[in-house]
Amino acid sequence: MSEQTERSRAPAQFGGVTSAAIVAAGSLIWSLPFLVRLASTNERWWIARDDGVITLSHARNFVEFGTIGVSPGGDRVEGFSSPLHFVVASLVQLVERGDAVVVSMVILGVSLAIAGGVLTFGFRRHLHRTWGLDRSPRSEVIALAIIGVIGVSMSSMWTTTGWLGSGMENPLILVSLGAVVAGILAGVESASGRRLATTGLSCLVIARVEFAAFSVPAIVAVAATAVSTTAVFAVDGARWRVAARLAVVPLSVAVVVHLVRRWYFGAWLPNTAIVQGRESGPIELVSAALIGLAVIVPFVALIVRRFVRDPFVRRAVDVVGALGACCLIAVVLWLDASGRLAGSIDAVVLQPGILPLGLAVAVAIGARAAIGGPIAPDEVNRAFVFAGLIALPVAQFLVTGPSRLEPGRVLGLAVPVLLVWLIVELVDLVGVLGAVWPASLSVGIRRVSLLVASSVVVIAVAAVAVTARTDRARALPYEIGWAAEIDDVAERVRQRELGGLGHVITANPDLGKVSYAKHSIMVDLGWLGDPVLATLRDQRPELLDRYLTAVAVPDVVESHSGWSCAYRGWLESQPFVDGYELVDQPGVVWTRPGDTCPADGLRAIWVRTGDDVEAEYRVSRELLGDADPATVVDAALEACRDADGDVWRCQSVRRSVQRVAQVLRERGEFDEAVARFSLSPTAEFDQAMLHRRAGWWWHATEELIEHFDTES
């Protein structure tokens, strides 16, 4: 074997240190400031927010029971907004099925390490391209120093750091953004750059359901770099094939994922959209598409016209872009007139980090142009990519409205992109300063140049520091520290009434940590995990109390503060007062001034009591025994059909089957038991609620409303 072949097969080295070692060092240097900041902050302020645990609960359901939902027994509901988070959480739980905190910390740690590694790789390549540093220890030191500066600066901003550690999808979005940026810095003409950019975009389009649309500007900007870059491709004509691959692969991933979602759940939008008042009907989908196009078209047209040479085509692109810009203005005016933009622009501008970093980027680009002359096409391409990535969370916030928790959860994702963009521009500025001064100039002038560049860096870091001072650590929403108390009560009832088999029906407004234990069939008073309640609330809110009183009738109920006010009619109804016993009132939760809620706004837990629920448990125990389930269901349905009462008089039998549905599924007896409900007064509703096939809640809700209207 020749010496040349040996060298080609050896690990890539820069200054005697392998690339892998440098990337690993960058991962550590990047991750350490975040981990130190989080570890030094009260963990109750940030760790495992309940909305993040909701996604982990869906993943645990999928891994343990084979269905995507929040309850055992064949549940099917999309109560989360991040397909990527669900997939990653499912993979983690195949290995580690431990506590939700452990799973979320594994995702956080791995995400930070990968983000730091890919950015280190990207900056090393960029230093080589910009400063000509190759196979030199200096390039490694500078790249690692840059990664350290970015890590320390970002971790100083609590809104961004807190949500990264919250257990939400934020760290996975950070990795996706980092991969795209690293791919652009490495250059899409290289195989590694293309792989990073393609992988990052493919993850980004499924990081949230709506990102499939809002990622289009970034996808077009990345693909355009392959067409208009001045870099040389190894094969003639390869740039167009690369551009097509950069666009087609992530868009194909988005299409496949959304088709699978539609097939499995029976809806294009998740249940979270219903909860936030966004319907998935044709009119709503077309409206959302038009709004998205109004945002995307002007940006895409601006990119495309840069490398179109034919005058006629260029004019056509200009016309399309102008029409898109007019539509965008019209959309903004419409959103403003409808009140949907109230406070949104202020929230974007005042989001910690966005304004000072944006101004610093503009100053750096201006200084670069003033000193070095016209900006090169590749730098313009890169600016479009960064703008597209920043537009992603900003457009998501402005078009779909603020996050259910707080604006920073989404807008904070723009901060790392802006910070990396600023550092890239400063690196280019230093490179330009080194190039414009001829070698004949004195050492003193060179030192002055270095001082100028360093001053810009110091000003940028100072801007970040000033922002950090106004972004002090505080508790993020939805800690839900009392979930264990609810689950403890539910598990005691389960052991006492069902012998530890089956599951009790638990209603509470904070879904994540209670459902993660998998001891309960959930009635989600917060609506995310219960599409029937969510649809009723959206379409016929006056029926909610009746539904909970006559149909759902949970075994265990927890409520507090504003939720108790929202469900006052149910909690103060005579059936609830007569049928439930207060078993725990562990503490006070905040209420708004003037609120007078049931149980005085205290966090309260009730357990269902009386002969009716004992009869239901008895049927559930018979189903768990050796008796034929079809025979048990037939007997129970016959008894309730012949009894006096309304059309819902046989719901007790459905609840009895629902409690033991998972056991019956494992025995292969579930379908036979559900088939017997053809004899129920509410047969179609009962079978939809138990089978939970794709789109089951639409059919169940229609039946529910029809029966309620018939009653009245």
Side-chain angles (χ1 to χ4, degrees), residues 410-498:
V410 174
L411 290 176
L413 296 168
V415 172
V417 182
L418 276 166
L419 188 55
V420 172
W421 190 5
L422 173 61
I423 298 299
V424 169
E425 295 299 336
L426 293 177
V427 167
D428 285 2
L429 177 60
V430 173
V432 168
L433 284 171
V436 297
W437 296 111
S440 59
L441 289 180
S442 66
V443 175
I445 293 179
R446 291 179 175 278
R447 288 175 177 172
V448 170
S449 302
L450 183 60
L451 180 61
V452 171
S454 301
S455 299
V456 176
V457 174
V458 169
I459 291 171
V461 173
V464 173
V466 169
T467 299
R469 290 191 62 184
T470 63
D471 189 24
R472 295 183 293 274
R474 63 192 185 284
L476 302 179
Y478 289 175
E479 184 240 340
I480 318 303
W482 54 88
E485 298 164 1
I486 305 168
D487 185 58
D488 182 60
V489 172
E491 181 61 6
R492 289 203 305 268
V493 175
R494 176 173 175 257
Q495 293 292 338
R496 183 180 69 241
E497 303 295 347
L498 301 174

XYZ file of all heavy atoms in Angstrom, residues 410-498:
667
model
N -40.858 30.422 22.235
C -40.637 30.354 20.796
C -39.621 31.400 20.349
O -38.659 31.095 19.653
C -41.965 30.539 20.036
C -41.727 30.619 18.534
C -42.914 29.393 20.357
N -39.811 32.651 20.769
C -38.944 33.733 20.301
C -37.499 33.561 20.773
O -36.570 34.021 20.109
C -39.486 35.075 20.780
C -40.782 35.547 20.123
C -41.247 36.845 20.757
C -40.602 35.715 18.625
N -37.312 32.912 21.919
C -35.952 32.691 22.411
C -35.096 31.888 21.454
O -33.861 31.921 21.534
N -35.725 31.150 20.522
C -34.968 30.358 19.558
C -34.259 31.227 18.530
O -33.333 30.761 17.855
C -35.914 29.383 18.849
C -36.557 28.314 19.745
C -37.679 27.614 19.018
C -35.500 27.317 20.212
N -34.688 32.493 18.385
C -34.007 33.394 17.451
C -32.682 33.884 18.016
O -31.785 34.282 17.261
C -34.906 34.584 17.126
N -32.536 33.850 19.335
C -31.337 34.406 19.982
C -30.066 33.656 19.597
O -29.070 34.282 19.214
C -31.529 34.459 21.504
C -30.235 34.856 22.207
C -32.644 35.445 21.856
N -30.006 32.315 19.685
C -28.763 31.638 19.299
C -28.383 31.860 17.843
O -27.185 31.958 17.517
C -29.051 30.154 19.582
C -30.519 30.042 19.723
C -30.994 31.353 20.220
N -29.385 31.953 16.948
C -29.075 32.200 15.535
C -28.462 33.589 15.367
O -27.459 33.760 14.664
C -30.342 32.060 14.673
C -30.007 32.279 13.198
C -30.981 30.692 14.867
N -29.058 34.586 16.017
C -28.507 35.938 15.946
C -27.100 36.002 16.523
O -26.211 36.669 15.976
C -29.420 36.909 16.705
C -30.627 37.466 15.942
C -31.604 38.111 16.904
C -30.165 38.469 14.888
N -26.885 35.311 17.628
C -25.573 35.342 18.274
C -24.509 34.707 17.382
O -23.399 35.252 17.213
C -25.647 34.626 19.619
C -24.431 34.721 20.529
C -24.047 36.169 20.788
C -24.708 34.006 21.842
N -24.824 33.553 16.799
C -23.864 32.900 15.893
C -23.631 33.780 14.666
O -22.488 33.918 14.201
C -24.383 31.505 15.485
C -23.494 30.910 14.394
C -24.426 30.576 16.688
N -24.698 34.378 14.142
C -24.544 35.267 12.988
C -23.606 36.424 13.323
O -22.718 36.782 12.537
C -25.909 35.780 12.569
C -25.933 36.521 11.260
C -24.897 36.692 10.384
C -27.061 37.175 10.671
N -25.297 37.407 9.295
C -26.617 37.720 9.435
C -28.385 37.350 11.054
C -27.478 38.435 8.598
C -29.239 38.056 10.218
C -28.788 38.597 9.009
N -23.772 37.005 14.504
C -22.903 38.108 14.917
C -21.442 37.668 14.970
O -20.548 38.360 14.459
C -23.350 38.627 16.288
C -22.440 39.681 16.939
C -22.343 40.925 16.060
C -22.954 40.039 18.327
N -21.187 36.511 15.561
C -19.804 36.033 15.658
C -19.223 35.777 14.272
O -18.052 36.096 13.996
C -19.741 34.753 16.519
C -20.223 35.042 17.940
C -18.328 34.198 16.543
C -19.402 36.069 18.680
N -20.023 35.204 13.375
C -19.548 34.966 12.006
C -19.178 36.282 11.331
O -18.129 36.392 10.672
C -20.631 34.225 11.192
C -20.266 34.208 9.701
C -20.804 32.806 11.698
N -20.014 37.301 11.487
C -19.710 38.599 10.871
C -18.458 39.226 11.482
O -17.669 39.876 10.781
C -20.906 39.543 11.025
C -22.158 39.108 10.269
C -21.933 39.017 8.769
O -21.021 39.684 8.260
O -22.683 38.267 8.107
N -18.281 39.046 12.792
C -17.068 39.580 13.426
C -15.823 38.854 12.939
O -14.761 39.473 12.742
C -17.193 39.465 14.945
C -18.263 40.348 15.601
C -18.325 40.088 17.100
C -18.005 41.823 15.325
N -15.924 37.549 12.745
C -14.796 36.785 12.188
C -14.447 37.320 10.804
O -13.270 37.526 10.465
C -15.145 35.283 12.129
C -14.126 34.524 11.282
C -15.183 34.695 13.529
N -15.489 37.553 9.979
C -15.240 38.098 8.642
C -14.643 39.496 8.715
O -13.769 39.860 7.914
C -16.545 38.144 7.857
C -16.974 36.769 7.374
O -16.266 35.795 7.698
O -18.026 36.657 6.712
N -15.098 40.296 9.667
C -14.575 41.658 9.812
C -13.090 41.638 10.154
O -12.293 42.391 9.581
C -15.362 42.396 10.899
C -14.897 43.822 11.232
C -14.975 44.717 10.006
C -15.742 44.398 12.369
N -12.715 40.763 11.062
C -11.297 40.645 11.413
C -10.491 40.186 10.206
O -9.380 40.667 9.943
C -11.119 39.661 12.596
C -9.642 39.400 12.851
C -11.776 40.232 13.845
N -11.065 39.244 9.435
C -10.371 38.786 8.234
C -10.178 39.900 7.228
O -9.121 40.012 6.597
N -11.169 40.754 7.057
C -11.068 41.881 6.125
C -10.021 42.872 6.599
O -9.220 43.381 5.809
C -12.444 42.565 5.970
C -12.302 43.906 5.253
C -13.394 41.666 5.209
N -10.001 43.140 7.907
C -8.997 44.067 8.446
C -7.583 43.560 8.187
O -6.668 44.331 7.874
C -9.219 44.258 9.946
C -10.388 45.158 10.353
C -10.614 45.082 11.855
C -10.117 46.596 9.931
N -7.411 42.268 8.318
C -6.086 41.705 8.052
C -5.707 41.763 6.596
O -4.512 41.783 6.264
N -6.706 41.773 5.718
C -6.416 41.745 4.289
C -6.197 43.136 3.696
O -5.429 43.294 2.751
C -7.560 41.050 3.548
N -6.882 44.156 4.228
C -6.811 45.480 3.595
C -5.530 46.230 3.943
O -5.110 47.114 3.204
C -8.026 46.345 3.988
C -9.307 45.723 3.487
C -8.092 46.559 5.484
N -4.912 45.891 5.092
C -3.680 46.592 5.445
C -2.495 45.904 4.774
O -2.250 44.738 4.990
C -3.470 46.584 6.964
C -4.528 47.328 7.711
C -5.459 46.806 8.524
C -4.743 48.730 7.703
N -6.274 47.780 9.033
C -5.847 48.984 8.538
C -4.133 49.820 7.053
C -6.346 50.260 8.758
C -4.624 51.087 7.274
C -5.714 51.285 8.111
N -1.739 46.606 3.944
C -0.594 45.977 3.266
C 0.498 45.599 4.255
O 0.601 46.147 5.352
C -0.119 47.067 2.299
C -0.642 48.351 2.860
C -1.929 48.017 3.554
N 1.319 44.640 3.843
C 2.371 44.121 4.735
C 3.409 45.184 5.075
O 4.107 45.074 6.082
C 3.061 42.925 4.070
N 3.516 46.231 4.259
C 4.535 47.250 4.502
C 4.203 48.166 5.670
O 5.073 48.895 6.157
C 4.730 48.095 3.233
O 3.498 48.707 2.881
N 2.932 48.157 6.107
C 2.555 49.052 7.193
C 3.205 48.618 8.494
O 3.547 47.450 8.705
C 1.037 49.077 7.347
C 0.269 49.799 6.217
C -1.215 49.746 6.498
C 0.734 51.245 6.086
N 3.339 49.569 9.396
C 4.039 49.316 10.654
C 3.248 48.373 11.544
O 2.046 48.195 11.400
C 4.260 50.641 11.393
O 3.000 51.164 11.793
N 3.954 47.800 12.497
C 3.321 46.915 13.476
C 2.295 47.692 14.292
O 1.248 47.166 14.679
C 4.391 46.298 14.398
C 3.736 45.477 15.509
C 5.348 45.436 13.597
N 2.564 48.973 14.523
C 1.636 49.791 15.295
C 0.273 49.889 14.643
O -0.764 49.795 15.306
N 0.266 50.088 13.311
C -1.012 50.176 12.610
C -1.744 48.848 12.682
O -2.965 48.788 12.850
C -0.785 50.604 11.142
C -0.254 52.043 11.101
C -2.073 50.476 10.332
C 0.025 52.556 9.716
N -1.006 47.750 12.568
C -1.639 46.437 12.675
C -2.269 46.248 14.061
O -3.349 45.681 14.201
C -0.620 45.340 12.413
C -0.146 45.293 10.981
C 0.888 44.190 10.772
N 1.231 44.107 9.382
C 0.523 43.451 8.467
N -0.572 42.845 8.826
N 0.899 43.419 7.206
N -1.544 46.738 15.065
C -2.099 46.620 16.416
C -3.357 47.462 16.577
O -4.313 47.065 17.251
C -1.042 47.042 17.434
C 0.081 46.016 17.574
C 1.169 46.499 18.498
N 2.201 45.479 18.672
C 3.352 45.681 19.310
N 3.616 46.893 19.822
N 4.213 44.703 19.418
N -3.371 48.645 15.939
C -4.571 49.473 15.984
C -5.738 48.749 15.313
O -6.876 48.766 15.803
C -4.315 50.837 15.304
C -5.626 51.594 15.122
C -3.340 51.666 16.135
N -5.465 48.108 14.184
C -6.513 47.351 13.492
C -7.069 46.256 14.383
O -8.292 46.053 14.479
C -5.950 46.732 12.207
O -5.425 47.727 11.365
N -6.164 45.545 15.033
C -6.602 44.480 15.933
C -7.418 45.056 17.086
O -8.412 44.468 17.527
C -5.390 43.714 16.460
C -5.683 42.509 17.359
C -6.506 41.481 16.608
C -4.386 41.890 17.862
N -6.997 46.236 17.566
C -7.722 46.887 18.655
C -9.138 47.263 18.222
O -10.103 47.096 18.975
C -6.955 48.133 19.111
C -7.586 48.936 20.264
C -7.685 48.075 21.515
C -6.763 50.195 20.540
N -9.283 47.769 16.985
C -10.599 48.133 16.468
C -11.502 46.906 16.414
O -12.661 46.927 16.857
C -10.478 48.783 15.080
C -11.860 48.954 14.439
C -9.772 50.128 15.191
N -10.965 45.828 15.855
C -11.762 44.601 15.762
C -12.134 44.091 17.145
O -13.270 43.669 17.389
C -10.988 43.534 14.996
N -11.182 44.125 18.058
C -11.456 43.664 19.425
C -12.513 44.531 20.093
O -13.343 44.032 20.860
C -10.168 43.684 20.246
O -9.185 42.855 19.660
N -12.499 45.824 19.794
C -13.484 46.731 20.392
C -14.897 46.370 19.945
O -15.841 46.399 20.735
C -13.170 48.179 20.002
O -11.895 48.548 20.483
N -15.024 46.034 18.660
C -16.343 45.627 18.164
C -16.821 44.378 18.895
O -17.980 44.249 19.274
C -16.297 45.387 16.642
C -17.643 44.870 16.143
C -15.919 46.664 15.913
N -15.875 43.428 19.111
C -16.220 42.204 19.835
C -16.665 42.540 21.255
O -17.670 42.024 21.755
C -15.026 41.230 19.853
C -15.347 40.023 20.738
C -14.682 40.782 18.451
N -15.908 43.424 21.915
C -16.236 43.798 23.290
C -17.605 44.468 23.348
O -18.414 44.206 24.248
C -15.147 44.729 23.869
C -15.604 45.331 25.188
C -13.847 43.961 24.045
N -17.881 45.339 22.376
C -19.189 46.012 22.344
C -20.307 44.986 22.187
O -21.354 45.068 22.842
C -19.228 47.039 21.195
C -18.274 48.212 21.509
C -20.646 47.553 20.972
C -18.067 49.158 20.353
N -20.083 44.004 21.307
C -21.102 42.974 21.095
C -21.337 42.169 22.367
O -22.474 41.909 22.763
C -20.675 42.046 19.956
N -20.233 41.772 23.036
C -20.363 41.014 24.283
C -21.048 41.863 25.353
O -21.873 41.373 26.131
C -18.981 40.527 24.763
C -19.085 39.890 26.142
C -18.402 39.524 23.766
N -20.727 43.165 25.378
C -21.359 44.060 26.354
C -22.865 44.158 26.104
O -23.665 44.189 27.045
C -20.725 45.442 26.275
N -23.252 44.191 24.813
C -24.679 44.232 24.491
C -25.388 42.996 25.015
O -26.482 43.063 25.575
C -24.868 44.350 22.978
N -24.735 41.845 24.864
C -25.301 40.604 25.388
C -25.388 40.656 26.908
O -26.381 40.252 27.519
C -24.460 39.395 24.930
C -24.939 38.119 25.619
C -24.526 39.244 23.422
N -24.331 41.179 27.537
C -24.305 41.238 28.998
C -25.395 42.155 29.546
O -26.057 41.839 30.539
C -22.927 41.717 29.465
N -25.597 43.304 28.884
C -26.653 44.229 29.321
C -28.016 43.560 29.196
O -28.875 43.674 30.078
C -26.604 45.526 28.488
C -27.847 46.364 28.743
C -25.347 46.318 28.828
N -28.209 42.831 28.097
C -29.462 42.109 27.918
C -29.649 41.083 29.020
O -30.740 40.914 29.569
C -29.467 41.408 26.546
O -29.346 42.398 25.525
C -30.760 40.639 26.346
N -28.568 40.374 29.344
C -28.658 39.328 30.361
C -29.066 39.897 31.715
O -29.769 39.247 32.487
C -27.320 38.598 30.471
N -28.647 41.104 32.008
C -28.986 41.707 33.305
C -30.483 41.953 33.436
O -31.044 41.901 34.522
C -28.231 43.020 33.481
C -26.736 42.850 33.688
C -26.105 44.150 34.110
N -26.648 44.623 35.390
C -26.326 45.785 35.942
N -25.470 46.592 35.331
N -26.852 46.148 37.094
N -31.143 42.217 32.306
C -32.595 42.450 32.351
C -33.382 41.151 32.208
O -34.604 41.160 32.302
C -33.011 43.411 31.219
O -32.727 42.796 29.956
C -32.258 44.722 31.326
N -32.673 40.054 31.962
C -33.327 38.755 31.757
C -32.956 37.830 32.909
O -32.323 36.806 32.731
C -32.883 38.173 30.405
C -33.678 36.932 30.025
O -34.812 36.795 30.515
O -33.162 36.105 29.260
N -33.369 38.213 34.094
C -32.970 37.479 35.296
C -33.718 36.163 35.413
O -34.819 35.990 34.885
C -33.220 38.342 36.538
C -32.357 39.599 36.596
C -32.617 40.352 37.885
N -33.971 40.888 37.906
C -34.322 42.059 37.389
N -33.423 42.802 36.789
N -35.565 42.479 37.452
N -33.119 35.229 36.139
C -33.731 33.914 36.348
C -35.060 34.058 37.086
O -35.181 34.823 38.046
C -32.771 33.018 37.137
N -36.037 33.326 36.616
C -37.353 33.308 37.244
C -37.995 31.965 36.917
O -37.566 31.273 36.004
C -38.222 34.448 36.717
C -38.512 34.342 35.231
C -39.113 35.616 34.677
N -39.493 35.483 33.289
C -38.650 35.487 32.276
N -37.352 35.613 32.501
N -39.076 35.361 31.036
N -39.040 31.635 37.632
C -39.692 30.341 37.427
C -40.446 30.331 36.095
O -41.221 31.231 35.810
C -40.649 30.042 38.578
N -40.192 29.319 35.283
C -40.962 29.122 34.068
C -42.331 28.545 34.434
O -42.482 27.910 35.471
C -40.237 28.162 33.123
C -38.824 28.568 32.688
C -38.232 27.499 31.788
C -38.833 29.910 31.981
N -43.345 28.731 33.593
C -44.686 28.238 33.928
C -44.759 26.722 34.012
O -43.962 26.015 33.409
C -45.539 28.745 32.750
C -44.751 29.832 32.126
C -43.321 29.506 32.351
N -45.743 26.244 34.769
C -46.167 24.846 34.798
C -45.135 23.892 35.382
O -44.686 22.955 34.742
C -46.585 24.375 33.397
C -47.881 24.969 32.939
C -48.358 24.750 31.661
C -48.620 25.782 33.784
C -49.555 25.308 31.236
C -49.810 26.337 33.370
C -50.273 26.096 32.094
O -51.442 26.656 31.689
N -44.800 24.152 36.646
C -43.936 23.188 37.337
C -44.734 21.978 37.792
O -44.289 20.842 37.723
C -43.269 23.863 38.541
C -42.270 22.956 39.249
C -42.623 22.711 40.697
O -43.382 23.503 41.270
O -42.149 21.703 41.242
N -45.945 22.150 38.297
C -46.871 21.086 38.713
C -46.186 20.164 39.721
O -46.010 18.964 39.488
C -47.389 20.274 37.493
C -47.725 21.192 36.341
C -48.622 19.474 37.910
C -48.740 22.254 36.660
N -45.823 20.728 40.859
C -45.141 19.938 41.881
C -46.047 18.996 42.641
O -45.568 18.178 43.426
N -47.376 19.078 42.438
C -48.295 18.244 43.197
C -48.774 17.030 42.399
O -49.695 16.333 42.819
C -49.494 19.069 43.648
C -50.205 19.786 42.534
C -51.220 19.308 41.763
C -49.945 21.109 42.071
N -51.613 20.247 40.842
C -50.845 21.368 41.011
C -49.035 22.106 42.445
C -50.858 22.583 40.325
C -49.056 23.314 41.761
C -49.954 23.540 40.722
N -48.170 16.750 41.249
C -48.613 15.623 40.426
C -48.504 14.306 41.176
O -49.364 13.424 41.050
C -47.799 15.564 39.131
N -47.442 14.164 41.994
C -47.260 12.908 42.727
C -48.396 12.664 43.714
O -48.786 11.510 43.953
C -45.918 12.926 43.457
N -48.939 13.737 44.287
C -50.043 13.582 45.237
C -51.298 13.061 44.533
O -52.009 12.203 45.061
C -50.326 14.931 45.908
C -49.138 15.456 46.712
C -49.269 16.935 47.043
O -50.303 17.525 46.651
O -48.360 17.493 47.659
N -51.552 13.580 43.325
C -52.710 13.109 42.561
C -52.530 11.640 42.198
O -53.440 10.816 42.372
C -52.891 13.954 41.285
C -52.987 15.443 41.623
C -54.123 13.509 40.510
C -52.885 16.342 40.417
N -51.351 11.314 41.685
C -51.098 9.931 41.277
C -51.149 8.983 42.471
O -51.602 7.833 42.340
C -49.735 9.836 40.587
C -49.476 8.456 40.028
O -50.279 7.990 39.202
O -48.479 7.832 40.437
N -50.710 9.442 43.637
C -50.757 8.601 44.835
C -52.202 8.256 45.203
O -52.514 7.099 45.524
C -50.066 9.322 45.997
C -50.045 8.483 47.261
O -49.472 7.381 47.231
O -50.606 8.929 48.284
N -53.094 9.246 45.129
C -54.512 8.980 45.417
C -55.087 8.020 44.382
O -55.789 7.052 44.718
C -55.314 10.300 45.441
C -56.811 10.019 45.555
C -54.855 11.190 46.588
N -54.791 8.270 43.093
C -55.308 7.406 42.034
C -54.801 5.978 42.187
O -55.553 5.015 42.001
C -54.911 7.962 40.666
N -53.541 5.830 42.559
C -52.979 4.478 42.708
C -53.582 3.756 43.908
O -53.808 2.528 43.857
C -51.451 4.575 42.837
C -50.734 3.248 42.973
C -50.922 2.320 41.781
O -51.526 2.743 40.768
O -50.485 1.158 41.870
N -53.888 4.475 44.972
C -54.537 3.832 46.126
C -55.920 3.310 45.740
O -56.302 2.198 46.119
C -54.649 4.818 47.294
C -53.326 5.152 47.952
C -53.527 5.654 49.386
N -54.431 6.783 49.473
C -54.040 8.057 49.441
N -52.756 8.351 49.295
N -54.917 9.040 49.552
N -56.671 4.118 44.980
C -57.990 3.675 44.522
C -57.837 2.471 43.593
O -58.599 1.495 43.675
C -58.725 4.825 43.800
C -60.038 4.339 43.207
C -58.968 5.986 44.761
N -56.850 2.521 42.714
C -56.616 1.415 41.772
C -56.291 0.122 42.498
O -56.805 -0.955 42.158
C -55.473 1.813 40.829
C -55.028 0.750 39.843
C -54.020 1.354 38.879
N -53.464 0.366 37.972
C -52.254 -0.160 38.095
N -51.459 0.213 39.087
N -51.824 -1.044 37.226
N -55.448 0.195 43.509
C -55.089 -1.007 44.265
C -56.286 -1.536 45.040
O -56.530 -2.744 45.089
C -53.930 -0.686 45.222
C -52.609 -0.370 44.545
C -51.997 -1.573 43.841
O -52.313 -2.719 44.163
N -51.131 -1.313 42.868
N -57.056 -0.624 45.621
C -58.178 -1.042 46.465
C -59.326 -1.628 45.647
O -59.900 -2.661 46.007
C -58.678 0.153 47.280
C -59.807 -0.195 48.257
C -60.273 1.021 49.044
N -60.976 1.993 48.206
C -60.569 3.235 48.014
N -59.455 3.677 48.583
N -61.277 4.062 47.257
N -59.645 -1.004 44.538
C -60.839 -1.400 43.789
C -60.557 -2.400 42.671
O -61.430 -3.194 42.319
C -61.512 -0.156 43.189
C -61.893 0.907 44.208
C -62.973 0.425 45.179
O -63.596 -0.626 44.925
O -63.205 1.118 46.187
N -59.345 -2.343 42.093
C -59.056 -3.193 40.932
C -57.897 -4.145 41.179
O -57.434 -4.816 40.245
C -58.746 -2.318 39.708
C -59.852 -1.348 39.274
C -59.356 -0.452 38.147
C -61.093 -2.110 38.842
